[in-house]
Amino acid sequence: MTPPHLAVVFVDLVRFTSLTVAHGDLAGADAAAALEAVARTALTERGRVVKTLGDGVLFAADDPAAALECSAAIVEGLHELDSGLDARCGGAFGAVVERDGDIYGSIVNLASRIAALAEPASMVVTRGIALQGSAAGFVVSPLGSRSIRGFPEEFELFEVDLCGHDGQFAFDPVCGMRLDVAQ
């Protein structure tokens, strides 16, 4: 039997450690709960939450376009909370092993690793997702080929701007919370 191919996305809260150090563990727990709630709302029809991982959410979608739309909805959902939270994402498309509601495989590991390369409110993706992003009207920028820890080959990576708020936000140097420059 051929394993299913899914778009796998890891969403990570930006500067989560700084937030918990500056505002306490309860604020960190509240931020993680807010991310999970926003993700579950954003994924109701086009994707599914596979699991939450502290300050992160792993989700899967049937196709790259859905993964991009859901990722953008999560980032925008966090911005709409006006809580100063922001996220970054990593996404890859390929074969996965599904077992007991979880997913496994190198694609899952790749999505997790490349999320760390993303800027706030953006997503680092592999070529297959990048092509869908361009077709859907997202701003996609090439990052070149990169070595990823644990993988023998390099991957051609791209950054996708998920919200188009470039330059509108800055980040608090102490706690890392997103601030509206106009305010």
Side-chain angles (χ1 to χ4, degrees), residues 42-43 46 59 63-74 123 136 138 162:
L43 299 171
R46 307 245 11 228
F59 79 84
D63 62 80
L68 287 163
E69 291 167 12
C70 291
S71 297
I74 291 169
M123 182 174 182
F138 287 95
L162 294 174

Side-chain angles (χ1 to χ4, degrees), residues 18-145:
S18 297
L19 172 105
T20 59
V21 168
H23 296 286
D25 294 338
L26 183 58
D30 289 345
L35 172 62
E36 180 180 358
V38 166
R40 290 194 186 281
T41 299
L43 299 171
T44 55
E45 295 186 21
R46 307 245 11 228
R48 70 175 175 92
V49 170
V50 175
K51 60 183 159 187
T52 59
L53 308 149
D55 68 323
V57 171
L58 176 68
F59 79 84
D62 289 333
D63 62 80
L68 287 163
E69 291 167 12
C70 291
S71 297
I74 291 169
V75 168
E76 286 292 347
L78 287 173
H79 291 177
E80 288 170 6
L81 292 178
D82 201 27
S83 62
L85 297 176
D86 213 336
R88 60 183 175 197
C89 308
F93 181 78
V96 299
V97 174
E98 294 183 280
R99 186 171 292 156
D100 298 325
D102 205 345
I103 57 175
Y104 302 90
S106 61
I107 288 298
V108 177
N109 297 328
L110 180 59
S112 173
R113 297 253 196 277
I114 64 178
L117 302 174
E119 293 295 321
S122 72
M123 182 174 182
V124 172
V125 299
T126 54
R127 180 179 255 311
I129 294 180
L131 293 172
Q132 291 289 323
S134 290
F138 287 95
V139 175
V140 178
S141 305
L143 296 175
S145 292

